[in-house]
Amino acid sequence: FKQPLLSPVQVFKAGSTVPVKFCVQDASGTFVSGVVAAIYANGVLQGEARETGDQYHFNLRTRGMSKGPLTIEVRLDDGTTHSIEVALK
């Protein structure tokens, strides 16, 4: 994951849009393009990330989501899942 989604847990205002940015690399660190990356928030599908340059991004709208912890997952078409915890205040 890339800024602003970095550890420690980042806090965002409930109802805001959280920019989800990340890179997909192979074992040698080479950028992988053409990946299908589904974005989930607390287990609910939100949509698919778009590829821009050597990163992927998705604008996660949090309107209607409850304040508190939020797990953002990126599920790739190779079957792997990567997640990060944020919080909504």
Coordinates of all heavy atoms in Angstrom, one line a residue:
F1 N 0.8 -1.2 0.0 CA 0.0 0.0 0.0 C 0.9 1.2 0.0 O 2.0 1.2 0.5 CB -0.9 0.0 1.2 CG -2.0 -1.1 1.2 CD1 -1.8 -2.3 1.8 CD2 -3.2 -0.8 0.5 CE1 -2.8 -3.3 1.7 CE2 -4.1 -1.8 0.4 CZ -3.9 -3.0 1.0
K2 N 0.3 2.3 -0.5 CA 1.1 3.6 -0.6 C 0.3 4.6 0.2 O -0.8 4.4 0.6 CB 1.2 4.0 -2.1 CG 2.1 3.1 -2.9 CD 2.3 3.7 -4.2 CE 3.4 3.1 -4.9 NZ 4.8 3.5 -4.6
Q3 N 1.0 5.8 0.4 CA 0.4 6.9 1.1 C -1.0 7.2 0.5 O -1.2 7.1 -0.7 CB 1.2 8.1 1.0 CG 2.5 8.0 1.9 CD 3.2 9.3 1.9 OE1 3.0 10.2 1.1 NE2 4.1 9.5 2.8
P4 N -2.0 7.5 1.3 CA -1.9 7.7 2.7 C -2.2 6.5 3.6 O -2.4 6.6 4.8 CB -3.1 8.8 2.9 CG -4.1 8.4 1.9 CD -3.3 7.9 0.7
L5 N -2.2 5.3 3.0 CA -2.5 4.1 3.7 C -1.2 3.5 4.2 O -0.6 2.6 3.5 CB -3.3 3.1 2.9 CG -4.6 3.5 2.4 CD1 -5.3 2.4 1.6 CD2 -5.5 3.9 3.6
L6 N -0.7 3.9 5.3 CA 0.6 3.4 5.8 C 0.4 3.1 7.3 O -0.5 3.6 7.9 CB 1.7 4.4 5.7 CG 2.0 4.8 4.2 CD1 3.1 5.9 4.2 CD2 2.5 3.6 3.4
S7 N 1.2 2.2 7.8 CA 1.2 1.9 9.3 C 1.8 3.0 10.0 O 2.8 3.6 9.5 CB 1.9 0.6 9.5 OG 1.2 -0.5 8.9
P8 N 1.5 3.4 11.2 CA 0.4 2.8 12.0 C -0.9 3.1 11.4 O -1.0 3.8 10.4 CB 0.6 3.4 13.4 CG 1.3 4.7 13.1 CD 2.1 4.5 11.9
V9 N -2.0 2.7 12.1 CA -3.4 2.9 11.6 C -3.6 4.3 11.3 O -3.5 5.2 12.2 CB -4.4 2.3 12.6 CG1 -5.8 2.6 12.2 CG2 -4.2 0.8 12.8
Q10 N -4.1 4.6 10.1 CA -4.4 6.0 9.7 C -5.9 6.2 10.0 O -6.7 5.3 10.0 CB -4.2 6.2 8.2 CG -2.8 6.0 7.8 CD -1.9 7.1 8.4 OE1 -2.1 8.2 8.3 NE2 -0.9 6.6 9.2
V11 N -6.2 7.4 10.3 CA -7.6 7.8 10.7 C -8.2 8.8 9.6 O -7.5 9.7 9.3 CB -7.7 8.5 12.1 CG1 -9.1 8.9 12.4 CG2 -7.1 7.6 13.2
F12 N -9.4 8.4 9.2 CA -10.0 9.2 8.1 C -11.4 9.6 8.7 O -12.0 8.9 9.5 CB -10.2 8.5 6.8 CG -8.9 8.1 6.2 CD1 -8.3 6.8 6.5 CD2 -8.3 8.9 5.3 CE1 -7.1 6.5 5.9 CE2 -7.1 8.6 4.8 CZ -6.5 7.3 5.1
K13 N -11.9 10.7 8.2 CA -13.2 11.2 8.6 C -14.3 10.3 7.9 O -14.3 10.1 6.7 CB -13.4 12.7 8.2 CG -14.7 13.3 8.6 CD -14.8 14.7 8.2 CE -16.1 15.3 8.6 NZ -16.3 16.7 8.2
A14 N -15.3 9.9 8.7 CA -16.4 9.1 8.2 C -17.1 9.9 7.2 O -17.3 11.1 7.4 CB -17.3 8.7 9.3
G15 N -17.5 9.3 6.0 CA -18.1 10.1 5.0 C -17.2 10.6 3.9 O -17.6 11.1 2.9
S16 N -15.9 10.6 4.2 CA -14.9 11.0 3.2 C -14.5 10.0 2.2 O -15.0 8.8 2.3 CB -13.6 11.5 4.0 OG -13.0 10.4 4.6
T17 N -13.7 10.3 1.3 CA -13.2 9.4 0.3 C -11.8 9.1 0.6 O -10.9 10.0 0.8 CB -13.3 10.0 -1.1 OG1 -14.7 10.3 -1.4 CG2 -12.7 9.0 -2.2
V18 N -11.5 7.8 0.7 CA -10.1 7.3 1.1 C -9.4 6.8 -0.2 O -9.9 5.9 -0.8 CB -10.2 6.2 2.1 CG1 -8.8 5.6 2.4 CG2 -10.9 6.6 3.4
P19 N -8.3 7.5 -0.6 CA -7.6 7.0 -1.7 C -6.8 5.7 -1.4 O -5.9 5.8 -0.6 CB -6.7 8.2 -2.1 CG -6.5 8.9 -0.8 CD -7.7 8.7 0.0
V20 N -7.2 4.6 -2.1 CA -6.5 3.4 -1.9 C -5.5 3.2 -3.1 O -5.9 3.1 -4.2 CB -7.5 2.2 -1.9 CG1 -6.7 0.9 -1.8 CG2 -8.5 2.4 -0.8
K21 N -4.2 3.3 -2.8 CA -3.2 3.2 -3.8 C -2.2 2.1 -3.4 O -1.9 1.9 -2.2 CB -2.4 4.5 -3.8 CG -3.2 5.7 -4.2 CD -2.4 7.0 -4.2 CE -3.2 8.2 -4.4 NZ -2.4 9.4 -4.3
F22 N -1.8 1.3 -4.4 CA -0.9 0.2 -4.2 C -0.2 -0.2 -5.4 O -0.6 0.1 -6.5 CB -1.6 -1.0 -3.6 CG -2.8 -1.5 -4.4 CD1 -2.6 -2.5 -5.3 CD2 -4.0 -0.9 -4.3 CE1 -3.6 -3.0 -6.1 CE2 -5.1 -1.4 -5.0 CZ -4.9 -2.4 -6.0
C23 N 0.9 -0.9 -5.3 CA 1.6 -1.5 -6.4 C 1.5 -3.0 -6.4 O 1.4 -3.6 -5.3 CB 3.1 -1.1 -6.3 SG 3.4 0.6 -6.6
V24 N 1.6 -3.6 -7.5 CA 1.7 -5.1 -7.6 C 3.0 -5.4 -8.3 O 3.3 -5.0 -9.4 CB 0.5 -5.7 -8.4 CG1 0.6 -7.2 -8.5 CG2 -0.8 -5.3 -7.8
Q25 N 3.8 -6.2 -7.6 CA 5.1 -6.6 -8.1 C 5.3 -8.1 -8.0 O 4.7 -8.8 -7.2 CB 6.2 -5.9 -7.2 CG 6.1 -4.4 -7.3 CD 7.1 -3.8 -6.3 OE1 7.4 -4.3 -5.2 NE2 7.6 -2.6 -6.7
D26 N 6.2 -8.6 -9.0 CA 6.5 -10.0 -8.9 C 7.6 -10.3 -7.9 O 8.0 -9.3 -7.2 CB 6.8 -10.6 -10.3 CG 8.0 -9.9 -10.9 OD1 8.9 -9.3 -10.2 OD2 8.2 -10.1 -12.2
A27 N 8.0 -11.5 -7.8 CA 9.1 -11.9 -6.8 C 10.4 -11.1 -7.0 O 11.1 -10.9 -6.0 CB 9.3 -13.4 -6.9
S28 N 10.7 -10.6 -8.2 CA 11.9 -9.9 -8.4 C 11.7 -8.4 -8.3 O 12.6 -7.6 -8.5 CB 12.4 -10.2 -9.8 OG 11.6 -9.7 -10.8
G29 N 10.5 -7.9 -7.9 CA 10.2 -6.5 -7.7 C 9.8 -5.8 -8.9 O 9.7 -4.5 -8.9
T30 N 9.5 -6.5 -10.0 CA 9.1 -5.9 -11.3 C 7.6 -5.6 -11.2 O 6.8 -6.5 -10.8 CB 9.4 -6.8 -12.5 OG1 10.8 -7.0 -12.5 CG2 9.0 -6.1 -13.8
F31 N 7.2 -4.4 -11.6 CA 5.8 -4.0 -11.6 C 5.0 -5.0 -12.5 O 5.4 -5.3 -13.6 CB 5.6 -2.6 -12.1 CG 4.2 -2.2 -12.3 CD1 3.4 -1.9 -11.2 CD2 3.6 -2.1 -13.6 CE1 2.0 -1.5 -11.3 CE2 2.3 -1.7 -13.7 CZ 1.5 -1.4 -12.6
V32 N 3.8 -5.4 -12.1 CA 2.9 -6.3 -12.8 C 1.7 -5.5 -13.3 O 1.0 -4.9 -12.4 CB 2.5 -7.5 -12.0 CG1 1.5 -8.4 -12.8 CG2 3.7 -8.3 -11.5
S33 N 1.5 -5.5 -14.6 CA 0.3 -4.7 -15.1 C -0.8 -5.7 -15.5 O -0.6 -6.9 -15.6 CB 0.7 -3.9 -16.3 OG 1.2 -4.7 -17.3
G34 N -2.0 -5.2 -15.7 CA -3.1 -6.0 -16.2 C -3.7 -6.8 -15.1 O -4.5 -7.8 -15.4
V35 N -3.5 -6.5 -13.8 CA -4.0 -7.3 -12.7 C -5.5 -6.8 -12.5 O -5.8 -5.6 -12.5 CB -3.2 -7.1 -11.5 CG1 -3.8 -7.7 -10.3 CG2 -1.8 -7.7 -11.7
V36 N -6.4 -7.8 -12.1 CA -7.7 -7.4 -11.7 C -7.6 -7.4 -10.2 O -7.3 -8.4 -9.5 CB -8.8 -8.4 -12.2 CG1 -10.1 -8.1 -11.6 CG2 -8.8 -8.5 -13.7
A37 N -7.9 -6.2 -9.6 CA -7.8 -6.0 -8.1 C -9.2 -5.5 -7.6 O -9.6 -4.4 -7.8 CB -6.7 -5.0 -7.8
A38 N -9.9 -6.4 -6.9 CA -11.2 -6.1 -6.3 C -10.9 -5.5 -4.9 O -10.1 -6.0 -4.2 CB -12.1 -7.3 -6.2
I39 N -11.6 -4.4 -4.6 CA -11.5 -3.7 -3.3 C -12.7 -4.0 -2.5 O -13.8 -3.8 -2.9 CB -11.3 -2.1 -3.6 CG1 -10.3 -1.8 -4.6 CG2 -11.1 -1.4 -2.2 CD1 -8.9 -2.3 -4.2
Y40 N -12.4 -4.4 -1.2 CA -13.4 -4.7 -0.2 C -13.2 -3.8 1.0 O -12.1 -3.5 1.3 CB -13.3 -6.2 0.2 CG -13.8 -7.1 -0.8 CD1 -13.0 -7.5 -1.9 CD2 -15.1 -7.8 -0.7 CE1 -13.5 -8.4 -2.9 CE2 -15.5 -8.7 -1.7 CZ -14.7 -9.0 -2.8 OH -15.1 -9.9 -3.7
A41 N -14.3 -3.4 1.6 CA -14.3 -2.7 2.9 C -15.1 -3.5 3.9 O -16.3 -3.6 3.6 CB -14.8 -1.3 2.7
N42 N -14.5 -3.9 4.9 CA -15.1 -4.8 5.9 C -15.9 -5.9 5.3 O -17.0 -6.2 5.6 CB -16.0 -4.0 6.8 CG -15.3 -3.1 7.8 OD1 -14.1 -3.4 8.1 ND2 -15.9 -2.2 8.5
G43 N -15.3 -6.5 4.3 CA -15.8 -7.7 3.6 C -16.9 -7.5 2.5 O -17.4 -8.4 1.9
V44 N -17.2 -6.2 2.2 CA -18.2 -5.8 1.2 C -17.5 -5.3 0.0 O -16.7 -4.3 0.1 CB -19.2 -4.8 1.8 CG1 -20.2 -4.4 0.7 CG2 -19.9 -5.3 3.0
L45 N -17.7 -5.9 -1.2 CA -17.1 -5.5 -2.4 C -17.5 -4.0 -2.7 O -18.7 -3.6 -2.7 CB -17.6 -6.3 -3.6 CG -17.1 -6.0 -5.0 CD1 -15.6 -6.1 -5.1 CD2 -17.7 -6.8 -6.0
Q46 N -16.5 -3.2 -3.0 CA -16.7 -1.8 -3.3 C -16.5 -1.5 -4.8 O -17.0 -0.5 -5.4 CB -15.7 -0.9 -2.5 CG -15.9 -1.1 -1.0 CD -17.2 -0.7 -0.5 OE1 -17.7 0.4 -0.8 NE2 -17.9 -1.6 0.2
G47 N -15.7 -2.3 -5.5 CA -15.4 -2.1 -6.9 C -14.0 -2.6 -7.3 O -13.4 -3.3 -6.5
E48 N -13.5 -2.2 -8.4 CA -12.2 -2.7 -8.9 C -11.2 -1.5 -9.0 O -11.7 -0.4 -9.5 CB -12.3 -3.4 -10.2 CG -12.9 -4.7 -10.2 CD -12.8 -5.5 -11.5 OE1 -12.3 -5.0 -12.5 OE2 -13.4 -6.6 -11.5
A49 N -10.0 -1.7 -8.7 CA -9.0 -0.6 -8.8 C -8.6 -0.4 -10.3 O -8.7 -1.4 -11.1 CB -7.7 -1.0 -8.0
R50 N -8.2 0.8 -10.6 CA -7.7 1.1 -11.9 C -6.2 1.2 -11.9 O -5.6 1.7 -11.0 CB -8.3 2.4 -12.4 CG -9.8 2.4 -12.6 CD -10.3 3.7 -13.2 NE -10.1 4.8 -12.3 CZ -9.7 6.0 -12.7 NH1 -9.6 6.3 -13.9 NH2 -9.5 6.9 -11.8
E51 N -5.6 0.8 -13.0 CA -4.2 0.9 -13.2 C -3.8 2.2 -13.8 O -4.4 2.7 -14.8 CB -3.7 -0.2 -14.2 CG -2.2 -0.3 -14.4 CD -1.8 -1.4 -15.3 OE1 -2.7 -2.3 -15.6 OE2 -0.7 -1.4 -15.7
T52 N -2.9 2.9 -13.1 CA -2.4 4.2 -13.6 C -0.9 4.3 -13.4 O -0.4 4.2 -12.3 CB -3.0 5.4 -12.8 OG1 -2.8 5.2 -11.5 CG2 -4.5 5.5 -13.1
G53 N -0.2 4.3 -14.5 CA 1.3 4.2 -14.4 C 1.7 2.9 -13.8 O 1.3 1.8 -14.2
D54 N 2.6 2.9 -12.8 CA 3.0 1.7 -12.1 C 2.3 1.5 -10.8 O 2.9 0.9 -9.9 CB 4.5 1.4 -11.9 CG 5.4 2.6 -12.3 OD1 4.9 3.4 -13.1 OD2 6.5 2.7 -11.8
Q55 N 1.1 2.0 -10.7 CA 0.3 1.7 -9.5 C -1.1 1.5 -9.8 O -1.6 1.9 -10.9 CB 0.6 2.8 -8.4 CG -0.1 4.1 -8.7 CD 0.2 5.1 -7.5 OE1 0.8 4.8 -6.5 NE2 -0.4 6.2 -7.6
Y56 N -1.9 1.0 -8.8 CA -3.3 0.9 -9.0 C -3.9 1.8 -8.0 O -3.3 2.1 -6.9 CB -3.7 -0.6 -8.7 CG -3.2 -1.5 -9.7 CD1 -1.9 -2.0 -9.7 CD2 -4.1 -1.9 -10.8 CE1 -1.5 -2.9 -10.7 CE2 -3.6 -2.8 -11.7 CZ -2.3 -3.3 -11.7 OH -1.9 -4.2 -12.6
H57 N -5.2 2.3 -8.3 CA -5.8 3.1 -7.3 C -7.3 2.9 -7.3 O -7.9 2.5 -8.4 CB -5.4 4.6 -7.4 CG -6.2 5.3 -8.5 ND1 -5.9 5.2 -9.8 CD2 -7.2 6.2 -8.4 CE1 -6.7 6.0 -10.5 NE2 -7.5 6.6 -9.7
F58 N -8.0 3.3 -6.2 CA -9.4 3.2 -6.1 C -9.8 4.2 -5.0 O -9.2 4.3 -4.0 CB -9.8 1.8 -5.6 CG -11.3 1.6 -5.5 CD1 -12.1 1.3 -6.6 CD2 -11.9 1.8 -4.2 CE1 -13.5 1.2 -6.5 CE2 -13.3 1.6 -4.1 CZ -14.1 1.3 -5.2
N59 N -10.8 5.0 -5.4 CA -11.4 6.0 -4.4 C -12.5 5.3 -3.6 O -13.6 5.1 -4.1 CB -11.9 7.2 -5.1 CG -10.7 8.1 -5.7 OD1 -9.7 8.2 -5.1 ND2 -10.9 8.6 -6.9
L60 N -12.2 5.0 -2.4 CA -13.1 4.3 -1.5 C -14.0 5.4 -0.8 O -13.5 6.1 0.0 CB -12.4 3.5 -0.4 CG -13.3 2.8 0.6 CD1 -14.2 1.8 0.0 CD2 -12.4 2.1 1.6
R61 N -15.3 5.4 -1.2 CA -16.2 6.3 -0.5 C -16.7 5.7 0.8 O -17.3 4.6 0.7 CB -17.4 6.6 -1.5 CG -16.9 7.4 -2.7 CD -18.0 7.7 -3.7 NE -17.5 8.5 -4.8 CZ -16.9 8.0 -5.9 NH1 -16.7 6.7 -6.0 NH2 -16.5 8.8 -6.8
T62 N -16.6 6.4 1.9 CA -17.0 5.9 3.1 C -18.4 6.4 3.6 O -18.8 6.2 4.8 CB -16.0 6.2 4.2 OG1 -15.9 7.6 4.4 CG2 -14.6 5.6 3.8
R63 N -19.1 7.1 2.8 CA -20.4 7.6 3.2 C -21.3 6.4 3.6 O -21.4 5.4 2.9 CB -21.1 8.4 2.1 CG -22.4 9.0 2.6 CD -23.3 9.6 1.5 NE -22.7 10.4 0.6 CZ -23.3 10.9 -0.5 NH1 -24.5 10.6 -0.8 NH2 -22.7 11.7 -1.4
G64 N -21.9 6.5 4.7 CA -22.8 5.5 5.2 C -22.1 4.4 6.0 O -22.7 3.5 6.6
M65 N -20.8 4.5 6.1 CA -20.0 3.5 6.9 C -19.9 4.0 8.3 O -19.9 5.2 8.6 CB -18.6 3.3 6.3 CG -18.6 2.6 4.9 SD -16.9 2.3 4.4 CE -17.2 1.7 2.8
S66 N -19.9 3.0 9.2 CA -19.9 3.3 10.7 C -18.5 3.8 11.1 O -17.5 3.4 10.5 CB -20.2 2.1 11.5 OG -21.5 1.7 11.2
K67 N -18.5 4.7 12.1 CA -17.2 5.1 12.7 C -16.6 3.9 13.4 O -17.3 3.0 13.8 CB -17.4 6.2 13.7 CG -17.9 7.5 13.1 CD -18.1 8.6 14.1 CE -18.6 9.9 13.4 NZ -18.8 10.9 14.4
G68 N -15.3 3.8 13.4 CA -14.5 2.7 14.0 C -13.6 2.1 13.1 O -13.2 2.7 12.0
P69 N -13.1 0.9 13.4 CA -12.1 0.2 12.5 C -12.7 -0.2 11.2 O -13.9 -0.5 11.0 CB -11.7 -1.0 13.3 CG -12.8 -1.2 14.3 CD -13.5 0.1 14.5
L70 N -11.9 -0.1 10.2 CA -12.2 -0.4 8.8 C -11.1 -1.3 8.2 O -10.0 -0.8 8.1 CB -12.5 0.8 8.0 CG -12.8 0.6 6.5 CD1 -14.2 0.0 6.3 CD2 -12.8 2.0 5.8
T71 N -11.4 -2.5 7.7 CA -10.5 -3.3 7.0 C -10.6 -3.1 5.5 O -11.7 -3.4 5.0 CB -10.6 -4.8 7.4 OG1 -10.5 -4.9 8.8 CG2 -9.6 -5.6 6.7
I72 N -9.6 -2.7 4.9 CA -9.6 -2.5 3.4 C -8.8 -3.7 2.9 O -7.6 -3.9 3.2 CB -8.9 -1.2 3.0 CG1 -9.7 0.0 3.6 CG2 -8.9 -1.1 1.5 CD1 -9.1 1.3 3.3
E73 N -9.4 -4.5 2.0 CA -8.8 -5.6 1.3 C -8.6 -5.4 -0.2 O -9.6 -4.9 -0.8 CB -9.6 -6.9 1.5 CG -9.7 -7.4 2.9 CD -10.5 -8.7 3.0 OE1 -11.4 -8.9 2.2 OE2 -10.2 -9.4 4.0
V74 N -7.5 -5.9 -0.7 CA -7.3 -5.9 -2.1 C -7.2 -7.4 -2.5 O -6.3 -8.1 -2.0 CB -6.0 -5.2 -2.5 CG1 -5.8 -5.3 -4.0 CG2 -6.1 -3.7 -2.1
R75 N -8.2 -7.9 -3.2 CA -8.2 -9.3 -3.6 C -7.8 -9.3 -5.1 O -8.5 -8.9 -6.0 CB -9.6 -9.9 -3.4 CG -10.0 -9.9 -2.0 CD -11.3 -10.6 -1.7 NE -11.8 -10.4 -0.4 CZ -12.9 -10.8 0.1 NH1 -13.8 -11.4 -0.7 NH2 -13.3 -10.6 1.3
L76 N -6.6 -10.0 -5.4 CA -6.1 -10.0 -6.7 C -6.6 -11.3 -7.4 O -7.0 -12.3 -6.8 CB -4.6 -10.0 -6.7 CG -3.9 -8.8 -6.0 CD1 -2.4 -9.0 -5.9 CD2 -4.3 -7.5 -6.6
D77 N -6.6 -11.2 -8.8 CA -7.1 -12.3 -9.6 C -6.2 -13.6 -9.5 O -6.6 -14.6 -10.0 CB -7.3 -11.9 -11.0 CG -6.1 -11.3 -11.7 OD1 -5.0 -11.1 -11.1 OD2 -6.2 -11.0 -12.9
D78 N -5.0 -13.5 -8.8 CA -4.2 -14.7 -8.6 C -4.6 -15.4 -7.4 O -4.0 -16.4 -7.0 CB -2.7 -14.4 -8.6 CG -2.3 -13.6 -7.4 OD1 -3.1 -13.2 -6.6 OD2 -1.1 -13.3 -7.3
G79 N -5.7 -14.9 -6.7 CA -6.2 -15.6 -5.5 C -5.6 -15.0 -4.2 O -6.0 -15.4 -3.1
T80 N -4.6 -14.1 -4.2 CA -4.1 -13.5 -3.0 C -4.9 -12.3 -2.5 O -5.6 -11.7 -3.3 CB -2.6 -13.1 -3.2 OG1 -2.6 -12.1 -4.2 CG2 -1.7 -14.3 -3.6
T81 N -4.8 -12.1 -1.2 CA -5.5 -11.0 -0.6 C -4.5 -10.2 0.3 O -3.7 -10.8 1.0 CB -6.7 -11.5 0.3 OG1 -7.6 -12.2 -0.5 CG2 -7.4 -10.4 1.0
H82 N -4.6 -8.9 0.2 CA -3.7 -8.1 1.0 C -4.7 -7.1 1.7 O -5.6 -6.5 1.1 CB -2.7 -7.3 0.1 CG -2.0 -8.3 -0.8 ND1 -0.8 -8.8 -0.4 CD2 -2.2 -8.8 -2.0 CE1 -0.3 -9.6 -1.4 NE2 -1.2 -9.6 -2.4
S83 N -4.4 -6.8 2.9 CA -5.3 -6.0 3.7 C -4.6 -5.0 4.6 O -3.4 -5.2 4.9 CB -6.3 -6.8 4.5 OG -5.5 -7.5 5.5
I84 N -5.3 -3.9 4.9 CA -4.7 -2.9 5.8 C -5.9 -2.4 6.7 O -7.0 -2.4 6.2 CB -4.0 -1.8 5.1 CG1 -3.2 -0.9 6.0 CG2 -5.0 -1.0 4.2 CD1 -2.2 0.0 5.3
E85 N -5.6 -2.0 7.9 CA -6.6 -1.5 8.8 C -6.5 0.0 8.9 O -5.3 0.5 9.0 CB -6.3 -2.1 10.3 CG -6.5 -3.6 10.4 CD -7.9 -4.0 10.3 OE1 -8.8 -3.3 10.7 OE2 -8.2 -5.1 9.8
V86 N -7.6 0.7 8.8 CA -7.7 2.1 9.0 C -8.8 2.3 10.0 O -9.5 1.4 10.5 CB -7.9 2.9 7.7 CG1 -6.8 2.7 6.7 CG2 -9.3 2.5 7.1
A87 N -9.0 3.6 10.4 CA -10.2 3.9 11.3 C -10.9 5.1 10.7 O -10.4 6.0 10.1 CB -9.6 4.2 12.7
L88 N -12.2 5.1 11.0 CA -13.1 6.2 10.6 C -13.5 6.9 11.9 O -13.9 6.2 12.8 CB -14.3 5.7 9.8 CG -14.1 5.0 8.5 CD1 -15.4 4.5 7.9 CD2 -13.3 5.9 7.5
K89 N -13.4 8.2 11.9 CA -13.8 8.9 13.1 C -15.0 9.8 12.8 O -15.3 10.1 11.7 CB -12.7 9.8 13.6 CG -12.3 11.0 12.7 CD -11.2 11.8 13.3 CE -11.0 13.0 12.4 NZ -10.2 14.0 12.9

